[in-house]
Amino acid sequence: MDQPLLQALGLAYAFGRFSVLVGIDLEVMPGSCSVIRGDNGAGKSTLLQLLQGQLQPSSGWVRLEGRPLRGQRRRVALVPQAPCLHWGYPIRLEEFVALAAGGGPRRCPPALGQVGLEPLAQRPIGSLSSGQRQRALIARALAQRAAVLLLDEPFACLDGASCLQLGALLRSLVSSGTAVVLSAHGELPPTLPRSRTYLLQQGSLHPQPAQPFLPLWQPSTNPFG
Amino acid sequence: MAALNEPFWLIPLLLACCCGLSCPLLGTLLVLQRRVLTTNLMAYAVLPGVVIGQALGLPPLFTGMASALAAVLLVEAWIAARHDDAGAAEALLNTVLSASLGLGVLLVQVLELPVDLEGLLFGDLLVAGPDDLVRMGLALVVLLLVIRCGYQHWQWLGLDPEGARQRELPVGSLRLVMAAITALVVVSATAAVGLALVMALICAPSLAALADAASLGEALRRAALIGLVVSLAGCVLAVGLNLPPGPLMASGCMLLLLRRRTVSG
């Protein structure tokens, strides 16, 4: 039986006196997709930050391949919902992605090609649309050879076609062995791979029964053409 | 123009070159890392350290740097402890800035030190000596080494500090190194432009260079070239017009911004 790639046991976190997460247990297998659902303010972003090591839990632990996260946090990439990036920074997309790889641009093109941004390699990152920026951040995570990709509300600000594309991209990443964990509070595109689903409610994580994908969600059509 | 052939102009000219290269190179990194306000604080916080150094017979370079670093660390510790918002943090920083200047002036009066306050604040390039040139040259070399050796780290700090922490880069140590090199350049530039005017040479060439730069490297090269031209022009005009070079350079930086606005508008 495969060992879990990322494992959290008894995670708890509090903001001052206010307890946000209690007793969170989670196992993420290689080449899997996990979806964490929950209402706004449920603690989804906090949980992802704990899984990346950005926050220290008040109790419990997180292990990557059985070892503490410290020293290997690079292998867990978090794409936040609202990244505090300086998008006006003078840097081209190719160099932006290569920076994460820690090497020259030769390591960059595959990552850009995987997310479909290779034609934009020479563009300044400030000129990218919101959907392109999100894919650029995913390319950056791929360039650093992250084993686990954490995505916070990745579909929240995307249009219909972009959601389908991102879902298909995540499907290809999962099939190549990357573990994906994403948070969502709305509908998901049907191109997303079959996933383990959890509900984060009142600070606890509850596994949800597997559901077949139904075509409940369709991209909007342009009424003018 | 004949005066420029005199050998005693060589040191001020070389000092202007070193200053015109160092300040904009540093400034480009500081602008991108959004540390300009902190740098302004350091520029004024140097003064008490320099005065105390003179009083105790210690090298003013080191006491000035220590004073500047202490002020920055104190302010950042206060901001972190008080959980202030950006507006309150800015007010706190500017209070310490003004207080540092006041403390420096008070120390000069109380200790009755023969300190050239005007020279410290506004620079006195034309009477700079070999020690000033060596200090500035050393600061330039150290700065170039720091930029070269930590190029990708400085990119992370300016582009995505949170991403840098995700990758376990030593963000705190990098900020400390940046603060130390800032203090070194600011103290060293005192002879040329003075503590009150150094910010113009740090910021204006950087802003002009960043306008259309497609990479950090391109921005650094352009900023250095612009800063060199401004400094040399200030030095030459100071001789020709018999005006103080520090204020001339600072005023030239303002013209630089006006010219940029005309071109872009």
Side-chain angles (χ1 to χ4, degrees):
Chain A
M1 194 168 87
D2 282 339
Q3 295 297 314
L5 179 58
L6 186 70
Q7 194 176 14
L9 189 64
L11 276 187
Y13 190 80
F15 286 109
R17 296 180 292 123
F18 302 103
S19 183
V20 177
L21 300 172
V22 179
I24 302 285
D25 297 334
L26 180 68
E27 285 186 354
V28 178
M29 307 301 286
S32 71
C33 182
S34 306
V35 176
I36 299 173
R37 289 190 165 279
D39 294 331
N40 288 338
K44 302 186 296 295
S45 300
T46 304
L47 176 56
L48 293 180
Q49 289 174 333
L50 286 167
L51 292 176
Q52 204 283 327
Q54 272 187 25
L55 296 175
Q56 293 304 309
S58 42
S59 65
W61 45 258
V62 179
R63 298 275 191 268
L64 181 69
E65 292 181 333
R67 288 174 290 141
L69 272 182
R70 189 173 180 173
Q72 44 175 4
R73 284 177 61 196
R74 283 178 57 97
R75 300 185 60 213
V76 182
L78 172 61
V79 179
Q81 184 176 9
C84 298
L85 229 74
H86 183 186
W87 289 106
Y89 193 90
I91 191 168
R92 294 187 182 92
L93 177 58
E94 187 176 52
E95 192 179 0
F96 172 76
V97 174
L99 192 61
R106 61 185 163 80
R107 287 186 68 180
C108 154
L112 279 184
Q114 278 181 281
V115 301
L117 288 180
E118 203 165 355
L120 307 180
Q122 298 303 315
R123 282 178 65 176
I125 59 170
S127 66
L128 301 177
S129 69
S130 57
Q132 290 167 345
R133 287 179 183 184
Q134 192 161 61
R135 282 190 282 158
L137 290 171
I138 293 174
R140 196 172 69 160
L142 297 176
Q144 73 186 55
R145 305 284 169 92
V148 182
L149 187 58
L150 308 174
L151 298 139
D152 194 357
E153 304 276 2
F155 304 106
C157 299
L158 299 183
D159 61 24
S162 299
C163 283
L164 287 174
Q165 286 173 355
L166 180 57
L169 170 63
L170 295 178
R171 179 186 286 272
S172 73
L173 291 177
V174 166
S175 66
S176 65
T178 303
V180 171
V181 181
L182 63 96
S183 68
H185 67 266
E187 293 180 4
L188 299 172
T191 50
L192 202 64
R194 182 167 289 275
S195 316
R196 285 186 180 183
T197 305
Y198 301 86
L199 178 65
L200 187 57
Q201 198 173 46
Q202 293 182 333
S204 298
L205 203 61
H206 308 278
Q208 300 293 290
Q211 295 176 355
F213 276 109
L214 299 174
L216 299 174
W217 180 92
Q218 297 292 333
S220 60
T221 54
N222 185 347
F224 300 104
Chain B
M1 292 303 289
L4 288 172
N5 294 328
E6 294 290 334
F8 72 90
W9 285 114
L10 188 58
I11 288 178
L13 204 66
L14 291 174
L15 182 56
C17 288
C18 290
C19 194
L21 291 170
S22 304
C23 291
L25 284 173
L26 177 69
T28 303
L29 297 178
L30 292 172
V31 168
L32 289 173
Q33 293 172 27
R34 288 170 259 203
R35 304 289 286 180
V36 174
L37 279 179
T38 308
T39 305
N40 201 20
L41 164 66
M42 292 177 81
Y44 285 93
V46 161
L47 185 60
V50 167
V51 173
I52 290 170
Q54 284 202 348
L56 297 177
L58 297 171
L61 173 68
F62 298 119
T63 52
M65 282 180 64
S67 173
L69 284 173
V72 165
L73 293 174
L74 182 66
V75 166
E76 292 190 344
W78 262 342
I79 290 172
R82 289 157 54 102
H83 303 289
D84 283 332
D85 63 15
E90 217 172 279
L92 192 150
L93 192 148
N94 281 286
T95 302
V96 175
L97 185 159
S98 296
S100 298
L101 178 61
L103 179 62
V105 173
L106 275 176
L107 283 172
V108 170
Q109 299 275 343
V110 167
L111 299 175
E112 296 180 345
L113 293 169
V115 171
D116 179 9
L117 210 53
E118 196 175 313
L120 273 176
L121 290 175
F122 306 117
D124 206 351
L125 179 68
L126 302 181
V127 297
D131 287 348
D132 300 310
L133 179 60
V134 168
R135 216 169 7 245
M136 193 73 246
L138 180 69
L140 175 60
V141 168
V142 171
L143 177 62
L144 289 171
L145 280 173
V146 164
I147 291 174
R148 179 72 179 87
C149 296
Y151 187 78
Q152 289 195 355
H153 289 149
W154 307 129
Q155 291 225 353
W156 274 111
L157 272 197
L159 174 64
D160 187 7
E162 197 48 58
R165 289 189 189 93
Q166 268 195 41
R167 286 154 185 79
E168 298 183 289
L169 293 180
V171 172
S173 301
L174 289 170
R175 288 213 192 280
L176 197 57
V177 167
M178 183 55 61
I181 190 70
T182 300
L184 176 62
V185 170
V186 165
V187 173
S188 304
T190 304
V193 285
L195 301 173
L197 302 174
V198 67
M199 290 307 296
L201 203 54
I202 282 176
C203 294
S206 314
L207 287 174
L210 284 167
D212 299 315
S215 70
L216 175 61
E218 182 183 337
L220 287 170
R221 287 188 293 273
R222 289 172 65 184
L225 182 61
I226 294 169
L228 186 62
V229 168
V230 168
S231 294
L232 286 177
C235 187
V236 170
L237 284 173
V239 172
L241 301 176
N242 195 25
L243 290 171
L248 262 178
M249 290 182 199
S251 305
C253 288
M254 173 67 91
L255 290 176
L256 185 67
L257 293 178
L258 290 174
R259 182 178 180 278
R260 174 171 164 259
R261 286 191 62 186
T262 302
V263 167
S264 61

